[in-house]
Amino acid sequence: MKKIFLVILSVCIGIARVDGAISQSNALEGIPVPRDLALVSNKRLVHAVDSARSTVAYNPGSAAAWGRLGHVYLAHEWRAEAARCYRNASKIEPDAFRWLYYLGRAVDNDPAKAADVYARAIELDSTYAPAHIYYANALRSSGKLKIAGRHFERGFELAPRNPFSELRLGQLALSAKQFETARDHLRRALALNPKQSEVHAALAQVYLALGDKKVSRRHAQAAQLPTKYNEMPDPLYKEVEKAGVSKFWFTRRGRRYFMARDFERAAEELAVVVSEDEKNPLIWYLYGVSLLGIERDKEAVAALERALSASRGYDHQNENDLLKIYNSLAIAHGRAGDPELAGPYLQKALALNPASIRAMNNLAFYYAENDRNLDEALNLARKAAEVGPEEGGHPVSLDTLGWVYFKRENYNSALKTLTLAAKLLPDSPTVYYHLGMAYYGNRDTRNALRAFTIALKLSSNFPEADETKAMIRQIEAQ
Amino acid sequence: MRNKIILLTTALYVFCFAAAIHVAIGRTPPIPITASAPYVTQNTQEMHLKDPPKPLPDENLSWPINLSAPYFTEITSELQLSDAPKPLPDGTYSLPEIMGGGVSVFDYDGDGDLDLLQIVCPPPGKPDLRAPNRLYRQLPDGTYRNVASAAGLDDPGYGQGAAIGDTDNDGDLDVYVTNFGRDTFYLNNGDGTFVDATVTAGFSDDHWSSSAAFFDYDRDGNLDLYVVRYLLFDSGITCRSRNDRTVYCGPQSFEGVLDALYRNNGDGTFSDVTATSGISSPGKGLGVACADLTGDGWVDIYVANDQEANHLWVNNGDGTFTDEAVMRGVAFNAYGEAEASMGVTVGDVNGDGRLDLFMTHLRDETNTLYTATEYGIFVDTSEASGLARVDRGYTGFGCGFFDYDNDGDLDLALVNGAVRRGSKFPGANVGEFWNSYAEPNLLFQNDGSGVFTHISSLAGAFANQVEVSRGLAFGDADLDGDIDLVVGNLNGIRMFRNDALPLSNHWLRVRAVDVNRDAIGAEVTVVTAEAEFVRLILPGYSYLSSSQLRAHFGLGTVEVVESIEIKWPDGSRERFNPLGVDRELTLRKGSGDAL
């Protein structure tokens, strides 16, 4: 009897499951799915799509659910499917600005279509600056320059710190051969972001047309440098970026956090990338340095070793990349408690590029810290310190040279050099610690105490803070 | 120690990463544009019909003409030119396998008709397979035969493109073949054969070279050579799209490299003068055009770089060059963005006497038309020209201005083929893998002011065949007075006969000869009562390709040419009295009236 009951129960459960599957399948009908999804091997991405589709299936009347699915599609460049989702979201919430804005972003490879969508979005809410700027871009691409100009201006009114509006207005004026107007807009754009290469490019043309070849050339040179800021602040689009689950997005977010010195979040994002058999040495490098930034030193060593081994697989090793890896490995080993392993990497870095200021400085400092090869250290530190900033030199080399002098007990030279280093690097507690040590070596305890105090005022937990405190105690005890 | 080193390294990190990270960015496929899409806004046939009918140049033609006939007819198999294009093996996502396909049209044997050189690269997955180039000799009956082996022009390298020019001033055309790997220089023996003179001439280029062009930058009467190099390819790098599928890596995944400038010493050897000439910025170059773009009489070098600022190497007149691309507005598009520049062409599209530039780009970017202004700068007029409305959905490679209907203005043809997977265009039939890359080609008609109308729906087979196209060369292969097209696809070569039937339109073709050779770089102006037409003797433009060494003028209904002026590559000018229209004229330096 019991057996029969169990059989009946399992059959019922089976039927229920099949029924559930059928209704799930029915519910998913009509919800867009990319044709090439079957070819995607990334399970995380497939799961993200499935999950977002299921949410829509269970809540077909939810604009947010459609929007979320749209974000997943847009983040992974399935624009047509994303557009369908945003359209549905917009039908459900016809007064919501954001769905039309996202729809515009999804179709912005077709400027005429995008312009139409952005226009409708702006009718609902005309206070979002990126919408005006993207609308203006689409209008410009459709040849409607006058209206485009008006929306660039509106974008500027709404976000006066955003240099894009001034840049676009300058470019419009340039194409209309209104060179003075263009110059004024572009100079304002440059004031907002002096390192935006597009502004320099346009100014180079403006000044050439105005007959000032010298200034034109200066801007042309500046335009060749990488732009320091080329993303428009766009909080709404951040939601799309968050929906990105492919390696691309983890890498991008990781890199962005890294650049912002948020090493914890950088490491978190990059950990996903490196967990998937990543072969790119630069990703391992970013990950390793991020780990260093959050003091997971032993893991950093492992990651940087991977960066090094991965870089060997490359046909054309980038010398700069290798230099960076060697230097970081030296730091990581030093911090992981194996300073003797740091030296060989610093030597390799110098061998790779004997003219590298960074390599010279780092090896000199390593020798000084470890009280070895002080002649060679002096030689390297002098060479590094002799290079001016216009040739890639850095004032930190003066600090190294001063520290080498100190180690060689040449206190007068140490004082002279470290005083100059402190002038150039007034915010560095390490430099003041070194300066204090030089004064102390020179038996000038009053100035030594002053320098140590400044160091601790600048930072109470810099790496030599304990030594500094100990020196203060020692002087005060005298 | 640790913080000390960090101080210096972190200060430098920021500068190093931006260029170093490489992650392929997948893009959404464009919405397919079919031949029936409503892009044709100007009825070009009506324009022809306004003109009174003229005596037919060919008695086989009958009036009224068939207005529905396509403008270009494929004649590849009819001329026994090449085997029928075969399906390619699936791609292996190795970048070099999708970049080749150069074609050249030139009269290698001096018999008066155009022969063809097809540059061949090995099939995907077999990079080490020998891939001999093909030289198709045009026979007296108009058909072609591959004579590459007999002529000694069957370079087996990983072929990309070619430059054509008479480097030793002996009256025949020599060939420089660019490869993914060692380039090869072939000297024409003048008897229908070539000899590999790479080493004796002093060439040693084993980079990935793309386009190349002969020109005389120092006005010494000898053709020098500019070789565009693409990038330092690394077969160990693999790339994925935003949705994590394997893709062909973009150029951002690799390091750029310096191009090379070789000076012709006049004794059969060349010297690499890249360093001393000031060509100092590395790029990721794919296309090149050498012409006087600044109007100072010295020929400049324009290099189309892939996803990096383009270079305009302005000739300083003293053997050195300065990059003025940014200042003159031709480095970036109107938004200040570097685009994926591939092919490049040059010509006066609006009849103002100044040379304008056009280059092809990636899908989701527009191709770019830079129009020269009186201020010495160029303005991105892609939108105003009408081109951008159409071409955003395609990845363009070979391109060229040419007057397909001989109405007096420069029209535009370009060939397409994606480098990123996209939706299949209707008509694509090159295998499932390559269908995602195949795109139709485009034809645009100029209204004379630099505004173009999309007329691909009238272009017949040229635009109907949806393939992965790269090279495009221009020349009057059948010597009937209009310009035919040769297309290099990943899977073979195709020739298209111009059947646009400009019955009432006249033409003139000028061969400009300096000493003993075609005067590459000469600027030819045909002066009529109605207008002046400026054209160049310029074979090296488009993408990996070389076109006919003639200046071709469509004259519309003009029957009388008042004079022809030539600005020779050495800066001197001469005026010639013409001898009628609808013919080819050979004008020799020194035989005209000096200006």
Side-chain angles (χ1 to χ4, degrees):
Chain A
M1 186 65 190
K2 197 177 174 185
K3 274 186 183 171
I4 293 169
F5 172 75
L6 284 173
V7 168
I8 292 169
L9 183 65
S10 58
V11 167
C12 288
I13 290 170
I15 289 169
R17 277 186 180 163
V18 170
D19 190 41
I22 291 169
S23 40
Q24 164 86 352
S25 160
N26 288 343
L28 287 171
E29 268 179 28
I31 301 172
V33 60
R35 269 193 315 165
D36 59 353
L37 185 65
L39 300 170
V40 171
S41 56
N42 180 337
K43 286 180 186 162
R44 201 172 43 239
L45 175 53
V46 174
H47 175 73
V49 170
D50 287 347
S51 161
R53 288 187 76 224
S54 297
T55 310
V56 173
Y58 286 116
N59 308 281
S62 162
W66 281 104
R68 167 77 194 163
L69 181 59
H71 292 349
V72 172
Y73 286 152
L74 185 54
H76 301 99
E77 288 285 316
W78 285 306
R79 284 172 177 265
E81 290 81 3
R84 282 181 62 191
C85 293
Y86 292 135
R87 272 193 206 100
N88 283 341
S90 187
K91 271 183 202 160
I92 295 164
E93 288 181 0
D95 295 333
F97 158 83
R98 60 182 173 153
W99 305 128
L100 284 176
Y101 176 68
Y102 288 128
L103 177 58
R105 297 299 301 271
V107 301
D108 68 8
N109 54 346
D110 181 339
K113 206 182 273 183
D116 179 51
V117 175
Y118 285 128
R120 284 159 51 209
I122 285 169
E123 274 177 24
L124 294 175
D125 180 355
S126 64
T127 62
Y128 193 61
H132 286 279
I133 293 169
Y134 282 112
Y135 180 36
N137 281 344
L139 287 166
R140 189 198 173 285
S141 294
S142 310
K144 295 171 181 169
L145 304 186
K146 210 170 169 184
I147 318 174
R150 284 211 294 272
H151 283 276
F152 282 131
E153 277 167 9
R154 180 73 179 133
F156 174 69
E157 286 164 19
L158 290 166
R161 301 295 305 163
N162 180 346
F164 279 89
S165 308
E166 287 284 25
L167 165 64
R168 299 296 187 233
L169 287 166
Q171 288 170 331
L172 282 178
L174 172 62
S175 65
K177 297 179 190 171
Q178 295 163 354
F179 300 116
E180 277 88 3
T181 311
R183 182 193 55 202
D184 296 344
H185 281 299
L186 293 165
R187 281 166 67 168
R188 285 197 290 269
L190 203 60
L192 290 168
N193 180 11
K195 289 187 175 171
Q196 195 166 4
S197 60
E198 297 97 320
V199 181
H200 286 289
L203 273 170
Q205 293 156 47
V206 167
Y207 280 108
L208 188 67
L210 293 173
D212 193 337
K213 208 165 177 177
K214 201 173 158 190
V215 178
S216 172
R217 194 172 294 285
R218 213 170 61 218
H219 283 293
Q221 281 162 356
Q224 304 281 6
L225 298 172
T227 196
K228 289 292 262 182
Y229 164 71
N230 55 10
E231 285 185 53
M232 195 170 352
D234 187 350
L236 279 181
Y237 196 71
K238 283 268 184 279
E239 295 303 312
V240 175
E241 295 182 350
K242 279 186 201 161
V245 293
S246 60
K247 267 190 168 187
F248 170 88
W249 285 107
F250 284 103
T251 308
R252 182 165 166 156
R253 287 189 296 256
R255 186 178 153 220
R256 204 179 273 166
Y257 289 132
F258 182 93
M259 301 298 262
R261 302 289 181 90
D262 184 347
F263 295 123
E264 187 150 3
R265 291 168 86 178
E268 202 177 295
E269 298 283 347
L270 294 167
V272 178
V273 183
V274 298
S275 69
E276 295 176 4
D277 191 29
E278 180 57 45
K279 292 187 175 64
N280 183 346
L282 288 160
I283 302 293
W284 279 104
Y285 169 72
L286 283 176
Y287 181 52
V289 176
S290 300
L291 290 172
L292 264 183
I294 51 175
E295 298 184 3
R296 287 160 61 182
D297 300 329
K298 287 208 182 300
E299 291 169 78
V301 167
L304 291 164
E305 293 282 6
R306 281 292 297 267
L308 190 60
S309 62
S311 76
R312 289 193 189 110
Y314 275 38
D315 293 347
H316 300 286
Q317 290 183 349
N318 183 324
E319 195 176 90
N320 272 334
D321 295 343
L322 261 182
L323 268 179
K324 287 187 299 185
I325 295 171
Y326 284 144
N327 278 313
S328 305
L329 261 169
I331 297 165
H333 278 300
R335 285 178 37 173
D338 297 316
E340 69 282 2
L341 295 177
Y345 284 115
L346 293 171
Q347 285 162 343
K348 278 183 187 173
L350 188 65
L352 189 69
N353 183 358
S356 163
I357 311 298
R358 182 159 45 153
M360 281 191 263
N361 174 78
N362 289 353
L363 187 57
F365 194 77
Y366 171 79
Y367 286 148
E369 280 290 88
N370 292 283
D371 290 313
R372 66 169 85 146
N373 297 351
L374 289 180
D375 289 346
E376 176 67 4
L378 183 63
N379 183 32
L380 291 170
R382 268 186 181 151
K383 271 192 200 165
E386 277 168 8
V387 179
E390 69 284 353
E391 294 166 275
H394 194 283
V396 81
S397 300
L398 285 173
D399 180 46
T400 302
L401 179 60
W403 193 231
V404 173
Y405 280 133
F406 172 81
K407 290 287 185 171
R408 292 170 62 89
E409 299 178 4
N410 182 350
Y411 300 123
N412 281 333
S413 296
L415 268 179
K416 207 170 154 189
T417 315
L418 288 166
T419 305
L420 181 58
K423 211 171 173 182
L424 295 169
L425 296 166
D427 298 326
S428 165
T430 298
V431 173
Y432 277 97
Y433 165 70
H434 291 160
L435 184 61
M437 292 301 289
Y439 276 122
Y440 188 79
N442 216 22
R443 298 172 189 276
D444 182 350
T445 50
R446 195 171 64 89
N447 276 321
L449 189 63
R450 216 174 123 236
F452 290 139
T453 310
I454 293 173
L456 284 176
K457 263 190 191 165
L458 288 169
S459 169
S460 57
N461 60 348
F462 71 102
E464 292 90 356
D466 290 343
E467 290 96 319
T468 309
K469 285 172 195 162
M471 288 304 298
I472 291 174
R473 279 196 301 273
Q474 193 176 322
I475 292 170
E476 284 172 348
Q478 289 169 4
Chain B
M1 167 185 148
R2 58 182 184 256
N3 73 312
K4 177 62 180 295
I5 295 178
I6 287 173
L7 261 178
L8 188 57
T9 50
T10 48
L12 297 168
Y13 287 155
V14 174
F15 299 104
C16 305
F17 284 130
I21 302 301
H22 58 274
V23 177
I25 300 170
R27 294 271 180 110
T28 301
I31 298 162
I33 295 172
T34 65
S36 58
Y39 287 104
V40 180
T41 54
Q42 179 180 335
N43 188 329
T44 50
Q45 288 93 359
E46 269 181 19
M47 196 172 72
H48 292 311
L49 288 171
K50 283 178 197 164
D51 307 319
K54 297 284 175 186
L56 302 178
D58 183 335
E59 59 186 14
N60 294 327
L61 296 174
S62 60
W63 184 265
I65 58 172
N66 179 5
L67 290 178
S68 64
Y71 289 172
F72 288 91
T73 307
E74 197 202 340
I75 50 171
T76 314
S77 56
E78 187 181 317
L79 299 185
Q80 299 164 35
L81 181 66
S82 170
D83 313 320
K86 289 186 270 269
L88 275 178
D90 285 357
T92 61
Y93 299 108
S94 173
L95 186 58
E97 73 192 23
I98 56 165
M99 298 305 287
V103 286
S104 295
V105 293
F106 69 120
D107 181 8
Y108 88 94
D109 53 1
D111 65 355
D113 55 36
L114 284 178
D115 311 298
L116 306 182
L117 176 63
Q118 179 192 0
I119 304 298
V120 180
C121 53
K126 296 180 178 170
D128 299 325
L129 195 72
R130 285 170 59 86
N133 296 328
R134 295 172 184 168
L135 175 65
Y136 292 102
R137 178 174 176 239
Q138 187 173 163
L139 304 177
D141 64 357
T143 62
Y144 290 80
R145 182 180 301 156
N146 181 12
V147 297
S149 179
L153 206 58
D154 54 345
D155 182 66
Y158 201 123
Q160 297 289 290
I164 311 285
D166 181 0
T167 62
D168 50 359
N169 295 342
D170 64 352
D172 52 43
L173 294 169
D174 311 308
V175 178
Y176 186 90
V177 175
T178 59
N179 285 318
F180 170 60
R182 180 181 174 272
D183 293 348
T184 317
F185 173 59
Y186 291 97
L187 208 54
N188 195 327
N189 295 320
D191 59 0
T193 66
F194 292 82
V195 61
D196 181 346
T198 314
V199 176
T200 52
F203 293 115
S204 57
D205 205 314
D206 60 357
H207 286 82
W208 181 351
S209 307
S210 50
S211 294
F214 285 111
F215 69 127
D216 182 7
Y217 77 90
D218 52 3
R219 294 182 171 177
D220 67 350
N222 299 308
L223 287 179
D224 312 298
L225 175 69
Y226 193 87
V227 179
V228 180
R229 290 168 177 162
Y230 189 26
L231 45 75
L232 294 173
F233 178 67
D234 185 334
S235 59
I237 295 177
T238 54
C239 297
R240 301 180 80 78
S241 66
R242 281 195 190 194
N243 50 30
D244 269 351
R245 291 183 62 190
T246 308
V247 293
Y248 286 100
C249 290
Q252 68 274 24
S253 300
F254 308 100
E255 292 291 308
V257 62
L258 269 183
D259 296 338
L261 176 64
Y262 294 100
R263 182 178 180 273
N264 188 335
N265 300 319
D267 58 0
T269 67
F270 287 75
S271 300
D272 184 342
V273 295
T274 314
T276 53
S277 67
I279 309 282
S280 54
S281 313
K284 293 169 184 170
L286 288 174
V288 66
C290 301
D292 176 15
L293 292 163
T294 56
D296 63 355
W298 290 85
V299 62
D300 310 303
I301 307 164
Y302 187 82
V303 181
N305 286 318
D306 194 356
Q307 293 190 16
E308 288 194 350
N310 301 313
H311 289 138
L312 171 56
W313 295 107
V314 173
N315 192 333
N316 298 322
D318 58 0
T320 67
F321 293 81
T322 307
D323 182 15
E324 294 190 358
V326 178
M327 312 170 52
R328 293 183 183 274
V330 289
F332 308 112
N333 68 7
Y335 289 97
E337 297 158 345
E339 296 183 294
S341 301
M342 263 76 94
V344 59
T345 187
V346 59
D348 175 12
V349 298
N350 50 9
D352 65 355
R354 301 184 193 98
L355 295 176
D356 310 301
L357 278 163
F358 172 84
M359 66 213 58
T360 50
H361 291 136
L362 208 59
R363 183 187 298 161
D364 288 347
E365 295 175 347
T366 67
N367 296 324
T368 302
L369 175 65
Y370 294 111
T371 306
T373 70
E374 67 268 39
Y375 304 98
I377 61 175
F378 291 75
V379 173
D380 177 349
T381 55
S382 312
E383 309 291 349
S385 68
L387 295 168
R389 278 170 232 155
V390 179
D391 59 26
R392 199 183 288 273
Y394 307 86
T395 298
F397 277 87
C399 59
F401 292 126
F402 74 124
D403 189 354
Y404 85 92
D405 54 357
N406 285 337
D407 68 348
D409 51 43
L410 288 174
D411 309 302
L412 174 68
L414 56 117
V415 297
N416 297 309
V419 292
R420 293 169 177 167
R421 195 185 293 115
S423 294
K424 181 183 167 186
F425 275 91
N429 187 23
V430 284
E432 194 178 338
F433 181 91
W434 295 106
N435 282 344
S436 303
Y437 297 84
E439 295 180 345
N441 303 323
L442 301 174
L443 181 68
F444 292 90
Q445 174 152 315
N446 190 347
D447 72 354
S449 68
V451 174
F452 291 82
T453 303
H454 182 209
I455 57 165
S456 298
S457 59
L458 303 171
F462 172 70
N464 291 343
Q465 277 167 349
V466 184
E467 295 181 307
V468 188
S469 301
R470 294 292 180 255
L472 174 62
F474 300 79
D476 184 1
D478 51 8
L479 301 173
D480 66 348
D482 54 31
I483 296 175
D484 310 300
L485 305 174
V486 183
V487 175
N489 294 322
L490 286 190
N491 60 335
I493 191 172
R494 289 192 188 273
M495 181 184 261
F496 300 93
R497 184 181 60 219
N498 186 335
D499 288 335
L501 294 174
L503 292 174
S504 60
N505 289 344
H506 297 286
W507 57 276
L508 192 63
R509 194 160 49 233
V510 174
R511 181 182 184 208
V513 178
D514 181 357
V515 192
N516 206 17
R517 64 167 172 82
D518 293 292
I520 289 176
E523 196 173 292
V524 185
T525 304
V526 164
V527 181
T528 72
E530 288 83 6
E532 292 186 3
F533 306 93
V534 179
R535 304 287 182 262
L536 300 170
I537 307 290
L538 182 74
Y541 58 94
S542 187
Y543 173 73
L544 307 179
S545 301
S546 186
S547 294
Q548 189 177 13
L549 277 151
R550 302 285 186 272
H552 182 101
F553 296 84
L555 298 172
T557 54
V558 171
E559 292 176 328
V560 178
V561 169
E562 293 182 348
S563 67
I564 298 174
E565 292 176 15
I566 297 184
K567 187 170 83 178
W568 297 97
D570 67 0
S572 63
R573 304 173 72 98
E574 279 181 275
R575 180 180 293 136
F576 296 85
N577 294 317
L579 301 164
V581 296
D582 298 332
R583 67 193 63 188
E584 177 172 310
L585 302 176
T586 299
L587 303 177
R588 293 184 182 277
K589 189 177 177 207
S591 63
D593 300 323
L595 292 172

